Amino acid sequence: MLNVTVESQNRKFLSIEQNIKLDEQKQVKYKKIWLKTQKPQLPVKIQEHETVKQILSHPLLLTLLRIVFEETGEIPLQRAQLYHAGLQILLKQWGSTEGAKDKIFTSLSLKQKEDLLTYVAWMTFAQGEYFFEQQQLEQYISDYLQKIFKTQIELETRAQAKQVLQSIQAHYELFTEWTPGIYAFSVLSFHEYLAAKAIVEGYTVQGLEQALKQLVEQLTENRWHQICTLVASMLPNTDYLLLLMKSKIDTLIESQVTLQPFLTWLKYQSLKINCDYKPAAVRAFYIECILGIDFEISGALDSKLSRDLEADSPKLNSAAHKLQRCRFSDRQKQALQQYYDMSKVLFDSIDAGCVTCSIREELEQNLFSFAKNTPLLEAIA
C-alpha cells in the first residue's frame, strides 16, 4: 500500500492538476483535427451515443475510439465493448511493431498480454490503490510473468518487468507516471474496466458466484459503483447480480428505521399523483426533489413524466412544493442519498446488462420501494 507524507501528497495532487490542464489543451486540438479527417458519418454516430460524447473528453479514450472506428467502421454501444475492442487492437499492433528489447512481452500471446493488464488492475483496485509505487507495479508484473514462465527465477522476471513497464508506458500510455516513481492507470475508467473484467473472468480468488456476492457487499462504497455496472454489461446474463443488488439495497433500508415510514408514504403518493405515470418514476421524482438533484432516473423511467417535467407541469410543481414540508435531518438526507446512489447503480446495471424480461419488469417496478419479500428476491435469499 502506498504510504506517503502529507507534504508529498500535496505535491502529487498539484502534479495531477497540472497534467490535467495540459491534457485539456491537447484534447481541444486533438478532437478538432481528428474529427475533421474522419468519415462523414462519424459525427452522427457521436451524437447518437452519450457514452461516446463522454469518451471524447479524454485523449487516450479518444485514441481507442479512433482505432476501433478505423478498424471496424463501427462505434461500440457500451463502454466495456469499446475498451475490449480497443485493447485488442492496441495489443495486436504492439506485437507487430515492438523491437528486440521488448521480446519478452511480444512472446506472450494476445490473451496473456490482456491477462497481465487485468491482473495488475485487479491487484491494485481491490486494495484501493489508484496510485502505486513503481516497485510494487513491477512486482505485480513480475508475479504474472513467473506464472507464465515457471522455470525463470524471480530476479530474471523483475528485470523483465521493468522492460515491460517501460514499453507499456512509452507506446500506449496505459500507465502514467504522475510523479517520479508513482504510477497510475492513465484513465480511471480503464482501470475500472479491467478490474471488472477480472471479476467476470475469474481472476479473483473466489468463484464467480462468490465474487459477485462480495462485489455487491461493497455497494455502499462509491468506488465500486462503476465496477458493478461494468460487470453487469459483461455477464452473459445479469439476473443473479441484479437480484443480489436489489436485496442488498433492501437490507440497507432495514437498517435505516427512519427511512422506512417515508418509503411507505412515498409508495402511496406514487399511486395518487397521476395514474398515467409509472409509480417507480414518481418515487424517483420525489426523492430527486428532496435531494435537489437532476431528474435523471425519473425521466428515464417514464417518457411522459419527462415531457411533463420539461413542460413545467403544474401538477408536478405542486407535488414538488409539498415536499418542502418534509423535514429531513442531515443524517437522514445522507442515508437517502446513499439509497438513491445505490438504486442508480441498480438502474444503470439493468440498462447495461442482459436481463430476463420478467426480472427486468419486477426490478423496475420495485425501484425505490422496499420489496424484500417478492418471489424473485426470495429465490436468492
Side-chain angles (χ1 to χ4, degrees), residues 227-290:
I227 303 294
C228 281
T229 303
L230 285 165
V231 167
S233 72
M234 296 181 205
L235 290 170
N237 184 284
T238 56
D239 291 356
Y240 182 69
L241 173 62
L242 296 174
L243 291 171
L244 282 175
M245 291 168 69
K246 176 57 176 166
S247 179
K248 175 65 177 178
I249 293 168
D250 287 340
T251 300
L252 171 68
I253 292 301
E254 277 188 324
S255 66
Q256 299 291 340
V257 179
T258 56
L259 284 185
Q260 291 182 30
F262 167 71
L263 291 177
T264 301
W265 172 83
L266 189 60
K267 179 179 179 180
Y268 289 114
Q269 289 296 116
S270 68
L271 299 174
K272 283 171 55 180
I273 184 171
N274 190 327
C275 60
D276 292 333
Y277 297 147
K278 294 179 180 178
V282 176
R283 293 193 294 269
F285 165 72
Y286 269 55
I287 294 175
E288 288 161 346
C289 284
I290 292 169

Side-chain angles (χ1 to χ4, degrees), residues 327-343:
R327 294 291 181 263
F328 288 84
S329 67
D330 289 342
R331 187 174 180 179
Q332 287 172 321
K333 274 198 172 184
Q334 206 170 41
L336 188 59
Q337 182 70 63
Q338 184 185 49
Y339 176 61
Y340 181 87
D341 290 343
M342 291 173 66
S343 297

Side-chain angles (χ1 to χ4, degrees), residues 141-331:
I141 296 173
S142 175
D143 291 344
Y144 182 80
L145 293 177
Q146 279 190 289
K147 293 178 183 178
I148 301 300
F149 306 109
K150 296 179 181 178
T151 58
Q152 291 189 335
I153 61 176
E154 184 177 355
L155 287 177
E156 291 177 339
T157 55
R158 283 302 297 268
Q160 293 165 345
K162 186 182 291 290
Q163 290 182 1
V164 169
L165 175 58
Q166 290 172 349
S167 183
I168 294 172
Q169 185 186 8
H171 290 273
Y172 293 106
E173 299 183 352
L174 294 176
F175 297 120
T176 297
E177 188 175 16
W178 290 113
T179 60
I182 303 298
Y183 284 79
F185 276 87
S186 298
V187 185
L188 174 59
S189 52
F190 199 76
H191 193 176
E192 292 170 334
Y193 159 71
L194 287 168
K197 184 174 181 291
I199 293 173
V200 174
E201 298 189 359
Y203 289 73
T204 60
V205 177
Q206 315 94 334
L208 179 59
E209 182 177 331
Q210 190 60 37
L212 293 179
K213 287 180 178 178
Q214 184 172 336
L215 173 63
V216 169
E217 283 303 308
Q218 297 173 110
L219 256 183
T220 52
E221 297 181 45
N222 290 343
R223 72 189 191 94
W224 291 96
H225 288 182
Q226 281 298 316
I227 303 294
C228 281
T229 303
L230 285 165
V231 167
S233 72
M234 296 181 205
L235 290 170
N237 184 284
T238 56
D239 291 356
Y240 182 69
L241 173 62
L242 296 174
L243 291 171
L244 282 175
M245 291 168 69
K246 176 57 176 166
S247 179
K248 175 65 177 178
I249 293 168
D250 287 340
T251 300
L252 171 68
I253 292 301
E254 277 188 324
S255 66
Q256 299 291 340
V257 179
T258 56
L259 284 185
Q260 291 182 30
F262 167 71
L263 291 177
T264 301
W265 172 83
L266 189 60
K267 179 179 179 180
Y268 289 114
Q269 289 296 116
S270 68
L271 299 174
K272 283 171 55 180
I273 184 171
N274 190 327
C275 60
D276 292 333
Y277 297 147
K278 294 179 180 178
V282 176
R283 293 193 294 269
F285 165 72
Y286 269 55
I287 294 175
E288 288 161 346
C289 284
I290 292 169
L291 294 176
I293 58 179
D294 291 338
F295 303 114
E296 191 171 353
I297 297 182
S298 58
L301 279 171
D302 193 317
S303 58
K304 185 179 187 308
L305 186 143
S306 179
R307 289 193 299 270
D308 287 350
L309 283 169
E310 291 179 6
D312 204 21
S313 161
K315 186 170 288 188
L316 291 177
N317 280 334
S318 173
H321 289 318
K322 288 180 180 178
L323 294 173
Q324 294 176 356
R325 295 197 293 269
C326 297
R327 294 291 181 263
F328 288 84
S329 67
D330 289 342
R331 187 174 180 179

Side-chain angles (χ1 to χ4, degrees), residues 70-127:
E70 290 177 351
E71 182 86 7
T72 67
E74 296 293 333
I75 293 178
L77 296 176
Q78 293 186 348
R79 197 177 286 257
Q81 293 172 337
L82 173 66
Y83 293 157
H84 174 73
L87 187 60
Q88 292 282 310
I89 295 169
L90 280 175
L91 293 177
K92 285 177 184 175
Q93 291 178 352
W94 197 343
S96 63
T97 59
E98 289 300 295
K101 71 175 183 178
D102 297 304
K103 282 183 179 178
I104 183 62
F105 195 73
T106 54
S107 68
L108 300 178
S109 68
L110 180 63
K111 181 70 165 62
Q112 287 171 334
K113 294 171 186 176
E114 194 172 7
D115 288 352
L116 168 59
L117 294 171
T118 303
Y119 175 75
V120 171
W122 174 252
M123 293 301 293
T124 51
F125 193 91
Q127 298 179 59

